[in-house]
Amino acid sequence: MIAVFIETRDGKAKKGSLEALSEAKRRAAELGVGTAAILVVGGGATSDGVVAELGGCGPARVHVLESAGLADYSAQGYAKAIADFVGEARPSALFFAATALGKDLAPRVAARLGVGLASDCTRLAVRDGRLEFTRPVYAGKALLSLTLASTPQVATLRPNVFPLEAGPAGAAPEVVRKAVEIPDGFVKGRVAEVLKEESVEIDVTEADVVVSGGRGLKGPENFALLRELAAVFPRAAVGASRSAVDSGWIGHQHQVGQTGKTVSPNLYVAVGISGAIQHLAGMSSSKCIVAVNKDPEAPIFKVADYGIVGDLFEVVPRLREELKKVLAE
Amino acid sequence: MNIVVFVKRVPDTESRIRIQHETRSVVEDGLNFVASPYDEFAVEEALRLKEANGGAVRVASVGREEAMPVLRKCLAMGADEAVLIKDEAPESYDGLRTARIIARAVEGRFAGTDLLLFGKQAVGTDNGQVPSMVAELLGLPQANVVTKLEIEGGSGTAYREVEGGTEKVVFSLPAVISAQKGLNEPRYETLKGIMAAKKKEIPVVRLEELGLKAEDLAPKVVVTGLDVPPQRQAGRILQGDPAETARDLAALLHAEAKVV
Ligand SMILES: Cc1cc2nc3c(=O)[nH]c(=O)nc-3n(C[C@H](O)[C@H](O)[C@H](O)COP(=O)(O)OP(=O)(O)OC[C@H]3O[C@@H](n4cnc5c(N)ncnc54)[C@H](O)[C@@H]3O)c2cc1C
Ligand SMILES: Nc1ncnc2c1ncn2[C@@H]1O[C@H](COP(=O)(O)O)[C@@H](O)[C@H]1O
């Protein structure tokens, strides 16, 4: 069985977790095994809404691990709950979405189980009855494939890479509840508060379209151009290069690249960004890359599927109008 | 406060990567090696904490003799002591193996440490595994990808980036913290620091001294392939009148790329 940890936020499953569950379903079918979802809930929280959401990628079972001690996220508490579950259910593989939480938690679970971990995978395959994981390394300059010589095979899966299984919701999954014991004093660190950034509606890692700006924008006020372009699409976010962030034009939350976030939207639009390797590291797994740059030699054009050589201040407003027309049709 | 910072020697991010296909490894010749950039944020944070609260900053690296210059750089920045934990094994991409070595060193040579500082990920292998794994092996709390850190007495608060916001993590010491860009601006070494660092001896600890068993060191990761990513097909680059190129691009994104 392949078990998938389902991360929730505001009572909803994260898209990355549903994608991981979808990929689990595909690989499990190849391996001839089943899938299960794992939910961790704190005192009093309900999981019914999330279970209903698992829909088309529906696993046979949803294991709900409950404890009052898990009301606030703590890597320590969650790792114990999940490792205890693994000890009993013995899945052959365990997936997490490579979100901020998944990246924090998965290595902790792997260490507790004494097993290896494949981080931030972008492709999975089955080889001789085991999983083969492929992931970018060296800032995307190489692709590493690996298998894990320990069970369960634990991996984090990059969000927005694996397609969602949009099949019809099958039979409602069986819900198995389990009380987890978190001894007093066991958890020595926890999330006390999440400070939401007001201006961010969708995070760059979760958006279908990312419109990013770089030093070519010349100043913070010109990010308005990109916000307007992004607003044309239903699920879009504004990203930025490190130069733009370091200049204080936009918050670090928006930075794409090696020191920022890794994004894989359907459409990535790089505006006034040269395409330094550290920037490419964060966006080269995007499905379609568009570049707008006045310099025809800019390295971004080497990875772009489409590009416009021109002055962004002239191109971007026009592109917005043209896209609006196309989308209206 | 006693702080240990773990620093890995990695190829600088500008490096052109060449692959040796038979061994599925990266050709090291011609690469420029540096301390992993996030580890520098960790070293800087340790030095600032020491300046504010007293104590000692030690740095350690697991790796071959070649990691010495990286350790020396940390000494030149102001670390009190540097230790090389000598591991001759080639890059294994296996976080657990490194974490076990580090955890054992913390229990032994670095016993009594209040804060273990790491980078959020070692660039190159880009695993982001070792800090959380060390924390688990030692039963310590963790905060990863930290952009702001406050320590007061026996506890601390760390702020870390999550999707659409910032998480405030509260923890007791000892603890594991991994650094993200934004935490601080690493200082440059001073000439005086470089001279002093040259004179310092860097002790070498062998894996056998840590009492690790062969099974603890057996890699869990089996590399089955290392390749350059498939070349993206040459894109369609439009030049000319902004109005025309914008119209053509919108049409291509709709009809050809089918993303709009
Ligand atoms: C360890 C390390 C980590 C890093 N991490 C990151 C990271 O996470 N993310 C990141 O982005 N960078 C990162 N960098 C920095 C990276 O190397 C580049 O410096 C940075 O990406 C450059 O940003 P830019 O493209 O906005 O600026 P520039 O390189 O200055 O490019 C600006 C571009 O705008 C174009 N332009 C100017 N005016 C116009 C106009 N009117 N119309 C159209 N085009 C115009 C120019 O032709 C140029 O190509 C990192 C560097 C290091 C060493
Ligand atoms: N060989 C090593 N020696 C010292 N520290 C390491 C080593 N490998 C990883 N680390 C530390 O763990 C962090 C995360 O590494 P990784 O999990 O490999 O991405 C790095 O930024 C270092 O602080």
Side-chain angles (χ1 to χ4, degrees):
Chain A
M1 173 250 289
I2 302 180
V4 181
F5 169 74
I6 305 295
E7 180 181 344
T8 59
R9 194 209 289 162
D10 304 331
K12 292 188 68 167
K14 280 249 199 169
K15 186 156 161 268
S17 299
L18 296 179
E19 291 161 4
L21 188 54
S22 301
E23 182 64 12
K25 192 176 174 185
R26 290 185 286 267
R27 295 304 143 230
E30 227 177 305
L31 288 161
V33 299
T35 59
I38 308 170
L39 278 171
V40 175
V41 299
T46 148
S47 50
D48 302 348
V50 180
V51 171
E53 235 186 307
L54 299 177
C57 37
R61 277 209 184 98
V62 181
H63 296 268
V64 182
L65 315 178
E66 293 171 303
S67 166
L70 297 171
D72 297 323
Y73 169 70
S74 76
Q76 251 174 332
Y78 273 48
K80 179 177 189 302
I82 294 169
D84 287 357
F85 162 79
V86 168
E88 287 164 23
R90 308 216 156 269
S92 54
L94 176 61
F95 295 171
F96 297 79
T99 55
L101 188 148
K103 290 184 197 173
D104 190 59
L105 175 59
R108 187 126 200 165
V109 173
R112 193 167 179 88
L113 297 167
V115 299
L117 168 65
S119 292
D120 206 17
C121 301
T122 53
R123 196 169 74 217
L124 266 58
V126 171
R127 239 197 200 211
D128 305 327
R130 305 277 298 174
L131 291 165
E132 182 179 56
F133 304 94
T134 299
R135 47 179 304 253
V137 289
Y138 300 97
K141 283 177 274 188
L143 281 177
L144 175 75
S145 296
L146 61 97
T147 57
L148 292 168
S150 48
T151 303
Q153 303 159 81
V154 186
T156 61
L157 276 58
R158 185 178 289 187
N160 259 346
V161 170
F162 297 92
L164 267 182
E165 195 77 24
E174 179 192 351
V175 177
V176 186
R177 290 177 189 282
K178 185 185 156 219
V180 181
E181 217 195 307
I182 305 290
D184 276 351
F186 179 82
V187 170
K188 303 192 187 77
R190 63 183 176 85
V191 172
E193 202 180 339
V194 182
L195 315 153
K196 289 227 165 90
E197 196 186 323
E198 298 300 336
S199 62
V200 177
E201 273 158 29
I202 315 180
D203 192 70
V204 284
T205 58
E206 295 173 335
D208 294 334
V209 176
V210 176
V211 181
S212 286
R215 200 181 344 240
L217 280 177
K218 308 259 174 353
E221 63 287 357
N222 295 324
F223 266 93
L225 277 176
L226 302 194
R227 282 189 204 102
E228 286 162 14
L229 180 58
V232 169
F233 301 97
R235 279 180 56 85
V238 172
S241 73
R242 174 161 166 181
S243 299
V245 171
D246 284 357
S247 308
W249 298 350
I250 190 166
H252 188 256
Q253 281 287 349
H254 299 269
Q255 185 176 318
V256 172
Q258 192 174 59
T259 12
K261 292 181 173 158
T262 303
V263 302
S264 316
N266 287 328
L267 175 61
Y268 187 86
V269 186
V271 179
I273 291 179
S274 59
I277 185 71
Q278 297 90 354
H279 188 79
L280 302 185
M283 45 66 80
S284 55
S285 59
S286 304
K287 272 133 245 150
C288 179
I289 298 173
V290 169
V292 178
N293 199 303
K294 67 176 184 193
D295 173 8
E297 302 299 322
I300 191 75
F301 285 124
K302 296 221 168 59
V303 299
D305 299 292
Y306 299 95
I308 293 183
V309 178
D311 182 349
L312 71 93
F313 297 100
E314 291 179 12
V315 172
V316 171
R318 292 185 170 87
L319 183 59
R320 186 180 68 123
E321 291 315 311
E322 295 296 339
L323 287 169
K324 258 190 180 164
K325 279 190 223 159
V326 170
L327 283 160
E329 276 166 24
Chain B
M1 185 158 51
N2 287 315
I3 307 174
V4 183
V5 190
F6 293 91
V7 180
K8 188 178 179 186
R9 168 188 182 261
V10 301
D12 124 18
T13 54
E14 302 285 346
S15 299
R16 239 197 87 213
I17 297 296
R18 285 178 299 148
I19 292 163
Q20 215 210 331
H21 289 277
E22 303 80 73
T23 54
R24 302 191 179 108
S25 61
V26 168
V27 178
E28 294 200 359
D29 284 354
L31 289 183
N32 178 35
F33 283 89
V34 296
S36 183
Y38 304 104
D39 302 358
E40 284 190 31
F41 298 120
V43 173
E44 176 62 34
E45 197 65 13
L47 295 173
R48 291 186 189 192
L49 285 167
K50 179 192 154 180
E51 283 155 12
N53 309 306
V57 173
R58 292 188 282 181
V59 293
S61 189
V62 180
R64 290 175 287 156
E65 200 71 29
E66 283 90 332
M68 283 291 186
V70 161
L71 289 171
R72 233 172 259 290
K73 180 198 162 84
C74 299
L75 288 173
M77 283 175 77
D80 298 291
E81 194 196 355
V83 177
L84 177 70
I85 303 170
K86 197 162 177 181
D87 177 17
E88 304 282 357
E91 178 59 64
S92 66
Y93 299 92
D94 187 347
L96 187 61
R97 184 175 183 282
T98 308
R100 280 181 166 157
I101 295 170
I102 289 177
R104 200 47 77 82
V106 171
E107 287 169 328
R109 184 173 183 106
F110 300 126
T113 299
D114 303 301
L115 199 56
L116 305 173
L117 286 174
F118 297 81
K120 73 154 180 162
Q121 74 193 58
V123 313
T125 50
D126 296 332
N127 261 341
Q129 300 182 357
V130 171
S132 302
M133 286 179 164
V134 170
E136 177 59 34
L137 295 174
L138 296 171
L140 301 180
Q142 71 188 44
N144 285 307
V145 200
V146 168
T147 52
K148 187 171 161 204
L149 179 64
E150 294 157 355
I151 304 286
E152 217 176 290
S155 62
T157 305
Y159 296 83
R160 68 184 224 100
E161 290 178 353
V162 298
E163 294 83 10
T166 304
E167 252 176 26
K168 179 176 164 185
V169 182
V170 293
F171 56 88
S172 61
L173 295 181
V176 166
I177 302 292
S178 75
Q180 161 70 320
K181 179 198 163 236
L183 182 60
N184 54 46
E185 216 32 75
R187 67 194 63 187
Y188 291 105
E189 311 97 283
T190 59
L191 191 61
K192 196 165 141 246
I194 294 172
M195 298 312 287
K198 270 197 182 139
K199 291 198 204 101
K200 277 198 185 150
E201 198 177 322
I202 299 182
V204 176
V205 176
R206 319 196 139 272
L207 293 185
E208 304 83 79
E209 292 171 49
L210 296 174
L212 286 157
K213 295 190 290 283
E215 66 198 63
D216 297 327
L217 297 173
K220 307 284 189 216
V221 170
V222 181
V223 173
T224 54
L226 186 66
D227 253 306
V228 290
Q231 280 270 320
R232 284 188 93 103
Q233 284 213 335
R236 295 269 293 260
I237 309 301
L238 312 173
Q239 306 214 24
D241 176 59
E244 262 171 48
T245 52
R247 181 169 5 95
D248 293 349
L249 178 60
L252 284 167
L253 291 178
H254 174 65
E256 193 177 278
K258 300 197 166 50
V259 289
V260 177

